[in-house]
Amino acid sequence: MNIAPHISAEQFDIRDFMRLEAFPHFLCPGCGHGMALRALMWALYENNISMDDLAVVTGIGCSGRLGAYIDANTFHVTHGRPLAFATGLALARPDLHVVVITSDGDCLAIGGNHLIHSCRRNVNMTCLMLNNEVYGMTGGQVSPTTSATRYTTTTPGGNHEPVFDACKLAEAAGASFVGREVTMQVPTLKDLVSEALLHDGFSFVEIISDCTEIFGRKNQLGDSAEMILSQKAATRPDSYGSKVDTPFRPNPLPTGVLARANRPEYRANLVPAKQKELGGG
Amino acid sequence: MSQVQRQNIQGNQACALGAIAAGCRFYAGYPITPSSEVAEVMARELPKVDGMFIQMEDEIASMGAVIGASFGGAKAMTATSGPGFSLKQENLGYAAMTETPCVVINVMRGGPSTGMPTRPGQGDVMQARWGTHGDHPIIVLAPASVSEVYSETIRAFNLSERFRVPVIVLFDETIGHLLETVELLAPAPESLDERKWANGDDNAYLPYGETEDLVPAMARPGDGFRAHTTGLTHDERGFPTQDPAIASRAVARLLEKIELHSDQIASYQTLHCDDADIVIVAFGIVARAAQRAVKTLRAEGIRAGLFRPRTLWPFPEQALLEAANGAKSLLVVEMNAGQLALEIERLCAGRGAVHRLNRIDGEVIAPAEIADAVRQAAP
Amino acid sequence: MDRELEIRLSGSGGQGLILAAGILAEALTTEGRNVAQSQSYEPTSRGGLSRSDLVVSDGEADYPLVSEIDCLVILDQVAVAASRDMIRPEAIVVTDAKTVTEPPAGSFRLAELPLSETAITLGNRRIANIVALSALTAMGGLCDRDVLKQTVLRRSPKTYVDLNMDALHAGWELAERCV
C-alpha cells in the first residue's frame, strides 16, 4: 500500500465532525468500533469531504449506531439493507459521497445478497464492514465470521461452522476495490479508508474490530489491550511474510489493499433503450 | 406528454406513465407476475426524462433502494405482487416510521403464497393496511379502470409527498393487463404536490417537530441540515428515544397526520345510492361488474346502489354511512374471503344486514352473480 | 349505444388471435369507439386455449370483461367449451369448418366457414386469423371495411402485407356469400 502524506493527528480533532449532543455514546469500553469511526472521520477530513455532502447509511447492530454520532446526513436503516438503501441514494444523488457502515452479521448474513450484487454493480460508494465476529447488540450470538470453536450464546459447544472470508467474497463478486485492516493501526486504517473513499466505484473495506465485553469475555480473550494486541498476530500485513500461528484465527489474514480493478462505475455503463415506442403487438 | 392522446393501453403501462407524469424519477423493482410490465415501461421511459431505473437483486432491495432515492429527494416507486409485497413489508414500515415518501404498486394475484400468478385476486386488502408490524400510517388507493390507474398513480405521488407517507396503489391482474381506450391528461406541473423541504435557520429546524399540519419538513442531503434518520423510535431531533411520553407522541403524530387529512385523502364514487334499498360495496374490477349489475337491477325495478371506494385506507367512513343511510342492507363483493367486509361490518354495526359475496378461485365476480346475490338479499 | 358489444376471438395458442383482436380494437378506436381488450395470461404459446376479448362501448365500459358474447370466432375445437354457455341468443358465431368439428349449438347465427382452408389456399395457414377477423367484421357490421384495411396494413410486417390483404378480401367474401 502506498503511504499517503500524513496529516498529523494533532491537527485533526474528531469532535469537529461529531454530533456532540448525541453523546455519551453507547459503545462498551474497549470496543473497536470507535477506532474504526475515528479512522473514517480522519480520512474524510484528509480528503476535505464536506459533512454536508456526506451521506452515511448504516444497518442494524452496534455498527449501525455509529451514524448517529457523525455530523452528516445519516440514515440508520433496516437490518441487512444499508447497501440497498445506499444504492438508491447514490443513484439518485451522484453528487453525494455515500459511505455504508455495516458489520459481519448485517453484511454477510441477512444482507449477503446485497453485498454480492453491490460488488457486481459497482455503484460509487464505500462500504466499511466492521467485523467483530459476533452479534453484539443482541447479546452475543454466532455470526458468519465467528472463528472456529469460539463460544457464543448460540454455540454453547463452540462454533462448528466455517468462517466467511468477506474480502474473498467481495473480490469474487467483482468488487473493484477490496481491502482489509485492523483497528489496532488507526493511521494505517485511515489510509486504507482514504483510498477506498477516492475510488470511483464500489469499494469494500473489512475492518477487524474487537468486541471486548461480550465476545472477548465469553472466550476469555483478555482485556481490551490484550485483544487489540492479538490483532497483530491474527493478521498478515504486506511486511509480514511469514505465517504466524495464533489461537485467534487459525490462519493469519492478509491486510492492505487486496484487490483493485479498473472498471467503469455503474453510471458509465448505462445505455439508452433500443426498443420501439409504446404500443404495437 | 402535454397533448391528450387517445390510445389503447394496458393498466400496467398506464401506471408507469402516470408515475412519470407525477414526477417519478426513480424506479427500483424485481420481476414478478402480473406487475412486470410496470417495470418494463419504466426501464424504457425513465431514462428519457433523466430518471433512473434499476432492477435490484430482490424485492427487499428494491424497496430499500426506493426509500434511499427518496432520502435523496427523488420521487420514487416500485411495483410488485403478493409474494413480493410480503417481502417489502419491513422496509415499508421503515418508510412510514421515518416519513419517507414512496409509492408501491401492488398488482394483486391469487393467493396465499405463490397462489395463482396469472389470475386476479383482491386478497391483499388487509396486508396493505397492516402488513408491516406496529401501528403505522399508510394510504391505500384502489383504481378500477386503466384511466383511473393513471390518475390514481399520480394522486398516490401527490399524497405521498404531501403527507410524507408510503402510498400503496392496489389493483388486480385483470386491470393490470386490461387494455382500454384512454385519453391520458398530463397534470399541470403546478398541480403536483412537492415535498416540503427544510430551509432557513439551521438551528431552529426539528426534523420531526410538531407543525400545524403534523407533517414536518424534510431535510434534503446537501442542503446543510445534516439530519439523522432512523427507524428507531425517535424524538423531534430524530435521535433514538425510549422516553414513554416522547415515544407515545411520536407514534400518535404519525397516525394523526393521516386522520387529520382523511377528508383530503378519502375518495369514492356512488351510483344510485340516494334511494337504494341495498347498497353494493365493491372496489377495483369487481366494482365495474357491480356497476353493470346495478343497471340491470334498476331495469328490473330493484333499487340497488353502488358505493365504490377509490381510497381503501383510510376508508371513506362518513361517505359510506351517508350512502347507506336509507338502505335496508349492504352487500360487500370482493375477490377474497371477506376482508373489506370486516371494515364495512364494523362501520355499519347495528344499521342493517351486511351480506357478502366472495370468490377466491382466481375468477372475476361477474355482473350476473352480483345481480343474483342482490335479488336474494333484497327480496 | 344502449348495451356494450362483446366480441371474442378464440382458438388455440399460436393462431394470432390476440394480434387480430388488437387490430380490431385499433380499428374501432379509430372510428371513435371505446374498447376494452383482455386475454388470459396463461402460457398457451402452442396448442392450449387462447382467447382475446373486446368490449366495445361509447365512453368507458361499465364492465370491461366479456360475460355475454355478441360476436364470436372459434378457430379450434379446444376453444368451444370456454364460450359455449356465454353466447347470447342473437349472437353471430363464426367457426372454422375444418377444425371445429362440434361447434356450439343454439338459436344464434352460426357460420361454419372454411377459414383455415382459405388461408392455406392463399399460401399461409398463419393468416387464418385475418380471414376470420374479416369475416366476423363483415357479418357483424363491426366497422368500416376500409378502416379495418388501413389498420391491418399499419399492423402488418412487410412480408405479410400482401398475404393479409388477400386474407382480408377473402374473409369479407366468405361472409358476404353466407348472408
Side-chain angles (χ1 to χ4, degrees), chain B residues 61-96:
Chain B
S62 25
M63 193 66 235
V66 160
I67 299 169
S70 185
F71 286 160
K75 290 185 182 176
M77 176 175 101
T78 186
T80 187
S81 186
F85 193 52
S86 295
L87 286 167
K88 292 188 189 304
Q89 291 300 333
E90 187 195 6
N91 283 343
L92 254 173
Y94 178 88

mmCIF file of all heavy atoms in Angstrom, chain B residues 61-96:
data_model
loop_
_atom_site.group_PDB
_atom_site.id
_atom_site.type_symbol
_atom_site.label_atom_id
_atom_site.label_comp_id
_atom_site.label_asym_id
_atom_site.label_seq_id
_atom_site.Cartn_x
_atom_site.Cartn_y
_atom_site.Cartn_z
ATOM 1 N N ALA B 61 -34.529 -5.430 -1.545
ATOM 2 C CA ALA B 61 -33.579 -4.422 -2.012
ATOM 3 C C ALA B 61 -34.269 -3.344 -2.827
ATOM 4 O O ALA B 61 -33.919 -2.159 -2.736
ATOM 5 C CB ALA B 61 -32.481 -5.086 -2.844
ATOM 6 N N SER B 62 -35.278 -3.721 -3.629
ATOM 7 C CA SER B 62 -35.925 -2.672 -4.422
ATOM 8 C C SER B 62 -36.672 -1.695 -3.533
ATOM 9 O O SER B 62 -36.658 -0.493 -3.774
ATOM 10 C CB SER B 62 -36.823 -3.232 -5.521
ATOM 11 O OG SER B 62 -37.278 -4.491 -5.255
ATOM 12 N N MET B 63 -37.297 -2.205 -2.479
ATOM 13 C CA MET B 63 -37.970 -1.290 -1.549
ATOM 14 C C MET B 63 -36.938 -0.400 -0.862
ATOM 15 O O MET B 63 -37.151 0.808 -0.694
ATOM 16 C CB MET B 63 -38.754 -2.102 -0.511
ATOM 17 C CG MET B 63 -39.746 -1.295 0.306
ATOM 18 S SD MET B 63 -41.106 -0.652 -0.678
ATOM 19 C CE MET B 63 -40.993 1.079 -0.292
ATOM 20 N N GLY B 64 -35.794 -0.983 -0.484
ATOM 21 C CA GLY B 64 -34.736 -0.200 0.152
ATOM 22 C C GLY B 64 -34.198 0.871 -0.772
ATOM 23 O O GLY B 64 -34.020 2.030 -0.367
ATOM 24 N N ALA B 65 -33.953 0.504 -2.022
ATOM 25 C CA ALA B 65 -33.407 1.470 -2.975
ATOM 26 C C ALA B 65 -34.385 2.615 -3.225
ATOM 27 O O ALA B 65 -33.974 3.775 -3.373
ATOM 28 C CB ALA B 65 -33.046 0.775 -4.288
ATOM 29 N N VAL B 66 -35.676 2.290 -3.262
ATOM 30 C CA VAL B 66 -36.700 3.325 -3.469
ATOM 31 C C VAL B 66 -36.662 4.332 -2.310
ATOM 32 O O VAL B 66 -36.672 5.550 -2.517
ATOM 33 C CB VAL B 66 -38.098 2.676 -3.609
ATOM 34 C CG1 VAL B 66 -39.214 3.667 -3.339
ATOM 35 C CG2 VAL B 66 -38.244 2.065 -4.993
ATOM 36 N N ILE B 67 -36.570 3.820 -1.101
ATOM 37 C CA ILE B 67 -36.530 4.721 0.060
ATOM 38 C C ILE B 67 -35.223 5.515 0.047
ATOM 39 O O ILE B 67 -35.212 6.723 0.322
ATOM 40 C CB ILE B 67 -36.690 3.914 1.372
ATOM 41 C CG1 ILE B 67 -38.048 3.197 1.389
ATOM 42 C CG2 ILE B 67 -36.554 4.828 2.586
ATOM 43 C CD1 ILE B 67 -38.199 2.178 2.508
ATOM 44 N N GLY B 68 -34.126 4.860 -0.324
ATOM 45 C CA GLY B 68 -32.840 5.552 -0.415
ATOM 46 C C GLY B 68 -32.884 6.697 -1.419
ATOM 47 O O GLY B 68 -32.392 7.801 -1.151
ATOM 48 N N ALA B 69 -33.489 6.447 -2.563
ATOM 49 C CA ALA B 69 -33.604 7.500 -3.582
ATOM 50 C C ALA B 69 -34.476 8.641 -3.066
ATOM 51 O O ALA B 69 -34.209 9.815 -3.333
ATOM 52 C CB ALA B 69 -34.188 6.916 -4.864
ATOM 53 N N SER B 70 -35.511 8.278 -2.315
ATOM 54 C CA SER B 70 -36.393 9.297 -1.752
ATOM 55 C C SER B 70 -35.674 10.132 -0.679
ATOM 56 O O SER B 70 -35.904 11.335 -0.566
ATOM 57 C CB SER B 70 -37.650 8.644 -1.167
ATOM 58 O OG SER B 70 -38.568 9.614 -0.726
ATOM 59 N N PHE B 71 -34.768 9.496 0.084
ATOM 60 C CA PHE B 71 -33.902 10.258 1.007
ATOM 61 C C PHE B 71 -33.235 11.397 0.234
ATOM 62 O O PHE B 71 -33.095 12.509 0.710
ATOM 63 C CB PHE B 71 -32.758 9.385 1.540
ATOM 64 C CG PHE B 71 -33.120 8.359 2.565
ATOM 65 C CD1 PHE B 71 -32.259 7.282 2.791
ATOM 66 C CD2 PHE B 71 -34.270 8.446 3.323
ATOM 67 C CE1 PHE B 71 -32.549 6.317 3.737
ATOM 68 C CE2 PHE B 71 -34.562 7.480 4.285
ATOM 69 C CZ PHE B 71 -33.699 6.410 4.486
ATOM 70 N N GLY B 72 -32.777 11.042 -0.962
ATOM 71 C CA GLY B 72 -32.022 11.997 -1.769
ATOM 72 C C GLY B 72 -32.890 13.052 -2.425
ATOM 73 O O GLY B 72 -32.377 13.995 -3.018
ATOM 74 N N GLY B 73 -34.223 12.882 -2.365
ATOM 75 C CA GLY B 73 -35.122 13.894 -2.901
ATOM 76 C C GLY B 73 -35.897 13.459 -4.122
ATOM 77 O O GLY B 73 -36.728 14.203 -4.626
ATOM 78 N N ALA B 74 -35.630 12.255 -4.632
ATOM 79 C CA ALA B 74 -36.327 11.805 -5.838
ATOM 80 C C ALA B 74 -37.710 11.272 -5.480
ATOM 81 O O ALA B 74 -37.899 10.650 -4.438
ATOM 82 C CB ALA B 74 -35.515 10.717 -6.532
ATOM 83 N N LYS B 75 -38.681 11.515 -6.367
ATOM 84 C CA LYS B 75 -39.957 10.819 -6.253
ATOM 85 C C LYS B 75 -39.705 9.406 -6.772
ATOM 86 O O LYS B 75 -39.229 9.226 -7.886
ATOM 87 C CB LYS B 75 -41.023 11.503 -7.091
ATOM 88 C CG LYS B 75 -41.450 12.863 -6.541
ATOM 89 C CD LYS B 75 -42.610 13.440 -7.351
ATOM 90 C CE LYS B 75 -43.000 14.804 -6.829
ATOM 91 N NZ LYS B 75 -44.068 15.428 -7.651
ATOM 92 N N ALA B 76 -40.022 8.416 -5.946
ATOM 93 C CA ALA B 76 -39.571 7.062 -6.250
ATOM 94 C C ALA B 76 -40.690 6.049 -6.078
ATOM 95 O O ALA B 76 -41.592 6.229 -5.256
ATOM 96 C CB ALA B 76 -38.401 6.696 -5.352
ATOM 97 N N MET B 77 -40.598 4.979 -6.874
ATOM 98 C CA MET B 77 -41.667 3.983 -6.891
ATOM 99 C C MET B 77 -41.119 2.585 -7.142
ATOM 100 O O MET B 77 -40.063 2.420 -7.732
ATOM 101 C CB MET B 77 -42.648 4.349 -8.007
ATOM 102 C CG MET B 77 -43.771 3.363 -8.221
ATOM 103 S SD MET B 77 -44.962 3.946 -9.457
ATOM 104 C CE MET B 77 -44.428 2.990 -10.874
ATOM 105 N N THR B 78 -41.874 1.582 -6.709
ATOM 106 C CA THR B 78 -41.624 0.198 -7.083
ATOM 107 C C THR B 78 -42.971 -0.453 -7.346
ATOM 108 O O THR B 78 -44.013 0.071 -6.949
ATOM 109 C CB THR B 78 -40.854 -0.561 -5.985
ATOM 110 O OG1 THR B 78 -40.526 -1.871 -6.468
ATOM 111 C CG2 THR B 78 -41.647 -0.707 -4.704
ATOM 112 N N ALA B 79 -42.956 -1.582 -8.053
ATOM 113 C CA ALA B 79 -44.195 -2.320 -8.316
ATOM 114 C C ALA B 79 -43.951 -3.784 -8.056
ATOM 115 O O ALA B 79 -42.854 -4.293 -8.287
ATOM 116 C CB ALA B 79 -44.658 -2.107 -9.760
ATOM 117 N N THR B 80 -45.001 -4.462 -7.571
ATOM 118 C CA THR B 80 -44.837 -5.867 -7.217
ATOM 119 C C THR B 80 -46.195 -6.547 -7.196
ATOM 120 O O THR B 80 -47.206 -5.984 -7.615
ATOM 121 C CB THR B 80 -44.118 -5.984 -5.854
ATOM 122 O OG1 THR B 80 -43.813 -7.346 -5.604
ATOM 123 C CG2 THR B 80 -44.961 -5.424 -4.719
ATOM 124 N N SER B 81 -46.203 -7.780 -6.704
ATOM 125 C CA SER B 81 -47.444 -8.513 -6.487
ATOM 126 C C SER B 81 -47.290 -9.313 -5.190
ATOM 127 O O SER B 81 -46.198 -9.319 -4.607
ATOM 128 C CB SER B 81 -47.724 -9.429 -7.679
ATOM 129 O OG SER B 81 -48.991 -10.032 -7.527
ATOM 130 N N GLY B 82 -48.342 -9.993 -4.778
ATOM 131 C CA GLY B 82 -48.432 -10.656 -3.477
ATOM 132 C C GLY B 82 -47.139 -11.080 -2.789
ATOM 133 O O GLY B 82 -46.763 -10.513 -1.763
ATOM 134 N N PRO B 83 -46.428 -12.077 -3.315
ATOM 135 C CA PRO B 83 -45.228 -12.549 -2.619
ATOM 136 C C PRO B 83 -44.187 -11.444 -2.444
ATOM 137 O O PRO B 83 -43.556 -11.340 -1.380
ATOM 138 C CB PRO B 83 -44.702 -13.654 -3.545
ATOM 139 C CG PRO B 83 -45.903 -14.121 -4.304
ATOM 140 C CD PRO B 83 -46.746 -12.898 -4.498
ATOM 141 N N GLY B 84 -44.024 -10.627 -3.456
ATOM 142 C CA GLY B 84 -43.074 -9.529 -3.367
ATOM 143 C C GLY B 84 -43.538 -8.461 -2.395
ATOM 144 O O GLY B 84 -42.733 -7.839 -1.689
ATOM 145 N N PHE B 85 -44.854 -8.261 -2.336
ATOM 146 C CA PHE B 85 -45.408 -7.274 -1.410
ATOM 147 C C PHE B 85 -45.119 -7.703 0.025
ATOM 148 O O PHE B 85 -44.788 -6.872 0.876
ATOM 149 C CB PHE B 85 -46.910 -7.145 -1.661
ATOM 150 C CG PHE B 85 -47.557 -5.964 -0.999
ATOM 151 C CD1 PHE B 85 -47.051 -4.688 -1.163
ATOM 152 C CD2 PHE B 85 -48.693 -6.134 -0.217
ATOM 153 C CE1 PHE B 85 -47.663 -3.595 -0.552
ATOM 154 C CE2 PHE B 85 -49.311 -5.047 0.393
ATOM 155 C CZ PHE B 85 -48.791 -3.784 0.224
ATOM 156 N N SER B 86 -45.222 -9.015 0.269
ATOM 157 C CA SER B 86 -44.881 -9.528 1.601
ATOM 158 C C SER B 86 -43.431 -9.190 1.951
ATOM 159 O O SER B 86 -43.132 -8.769 3.067
ATOM 160 C CB SER B 86 -45.068 -11.049 1.644
ATOM 161 O OG SER B 86 -46.421 -11.389 1.462
ATOM 162 N N LEU B 87 -42.536 -9.386 0.991
ATOM 163 C CA LEU B 87 -41.113 -9.132 1.250
ATOM 164 C C LEU B 87 -40.814 -7.658 1.488
ATOM 165 O O LEU B 87 -39.837 -7.307 2.128
ATOM 166 C CB LEU B 87 -40.271 -9.652 0.080
ATOM 167 C CG LEU B 87 -40.137 -11.167 0.014
ATOM 168 C CD1 LEU B 87 -39.581 -11.600 -1.330
ATOM 169 C CD2 LEU B 87 -39.238 -11.675 1.143
ATOM 170 N N LYS B 88 -41.622 -6.784 0.972
ATOM 171 C CA LYS B 88 -41.357 -5.355 1.095
ATOM 172 C C LYS B 88 -41.820 -4.782 2.430
ATOM 173 O O LYS B 88 -41.536 -3.626 2.746
ATOM 174 C CB LYS B 88 -42.057 -4.599 -0.040
ATOM 175 C CG LYS B 88 -41.454 -4.879 -1.403
ATOM 176 C CD LYS B 88 -42.067 -3.966 -2.442
ATOM 177 C CE LYS B 88 -41.686 -4.335 -3.852
ATOM 178 N NZ LYS B 88 -40.250 -4.385 -4.088
ATOM 179 N N GLN B 89 -42.553 -5.576 3.187
ATOM 180 C CA GLN B 89 -43.253 -5.000 4.334
ATOM 181 C C GLN B 89 -42.338 -4.352 5.373
ATOM 182 O O GLN B 89 -42.646 -3.294 5.904
ATOM 183 C CB GLN B 89 -44.135 -6.059 4.998
ATOM 184 C CG GLN B 89 -45.333 -6.479 4.146
ATOM 185 C CD GLN B 89 -46.270 -5.347 3.808
ATOM 186 O OE1 GLN B 89 -46.369 -4.367 4.541
ATOM 187 N NE2 GLN B 89 -46.958 -5.446 2.692
ATOM 188 N N GLU B 90 -41.201 -4.952 5.679
ATOM 189 C CA GLU B 90 -40.365 -4.375 6.731
ATOM 190 C C GLU B 90 -39.892 -2.971 6.337
ATOM 191 O O GLU B 90 -39.955 -2.023 7.130
ATOM 192 C CB GLU B 90 -39.158 -5.265 7.041
ATOM 193 C CG GLU B 90 -38.379 -4.743 8.257
ATOM 194 C CD GLU B 90 -36.987 -5.344 8.396
ATOM 195 O OE1 GLU B 90 -36.554 -6.080 7.511
ATOM 196 O OE2 GLU B 90 -36.326 -5.015 9.401
ATOM 197 N N ASN B 91 -39.435 -2.864 5.092
ATOM 198 C CA ASN B 91 -38.963 -1.554 4.650
ATOM 199 C C ASN B 91 -40.106 -0.554 4.472
ATOM 200 O O ASN B 91 -39.911 0.653 4.620
ATOM 201 C CB ASN B 91 -38.152 -1.687 3.364
ATOM 202 C CG ASN B 91 -36.744 -2.217 3.635
ATOM 203 O OD1 ASN B 91 -36.275 -2.181 4.774
ATOM 204 N ND2 ASN B 91 -36.084 -2.703 2.610
ATOM 205 N N LEU B 92 -41.303 -1.066 4.163
ATOM 206 C CA LEU B 92 -42.467 -0.181 4.097
ATOM 207 C C LEU B 92 -42.720 0.450 5.468
ATOM 208 O O LEU B 92 -43.019 1.642 5.579
ATOM 209 C CB LEU B 92 -43.704 -0.967 3.670
ATOM 210 C CG LEU B 92 -44.206 -0.770 2.261
ATOM 211 C CD1 LEU B 92 -45.329 -1.741 1.963
ATOM 212 C CD2 LEU B 92 -44.676 0.663 2.044
ATOM 213 N N GLY B 93 -42.595 -0.355 6.495
ATOM 214 C CA GLY B 93 -42.764 0.166 7.857
ATOM 215 C C GLY B 93 -41.695 1.199 8.176
ATOM 216 O O GLY B 93 -41.965 2.199 8.844
ATOM 217 N N TYR B 94 -40.494 0.956 7.677
ATOM 218 C CA TYR B 94 -39.405 1.919 7.887
ATOM 219 C C TYR B 94 -39.754 3.262 7.230
ATOM 220 O O TYR B 94 -39.543 4.331 7.817
ATOM 221 C CB TYR B 94 -38.094 1.359 7.313
ATOM 222 C CG TYR B 94 -36.932 2.302 7.446
ATOM 223 C CD1 TYR B 94 -36.143 2.307 8.592
ATOM 224 C CD2 TYR B 94 -36.626 3.209 6.445
ATOM 225 C CE1 TYR B 94 -35.087 3.193 8.732
ATOM 226 C CE2 TYR B 94 -35.574 4.099 6.567
ATOM 227 C CZ TYR B 94 -34.796 4.080 7.715
ATOM 228 O OH TYR B 94 -33.750 4.964 7.846
ATOM 229 N N ALA B 95 -40.307 3.196 6.017
ATOM 230 C CA ALA B 95 -40.694 4.430 5.317
ATOM 231 C C ALA B 95 -41.784 5.164 6.095
ATOM 232 O O ALA B 95 -41.767 6.395 6.200
ATOM 233 C CB ALA B 95 -41.166 4.110 3.899
ATOM 234 N N ALA B 96 -42.725 4.398 6.666
ATOM 235 C CA ALA B 96 -43.789 5.022 7.452
ATOM 236 C C ALA B 96 -43.211 5.684 8.699
ATOM 237 O O ALA B 96 -43.576 6.803 9.054
ATOM 238 C CB ALA B 96 -44.834 3.972 7.841
#
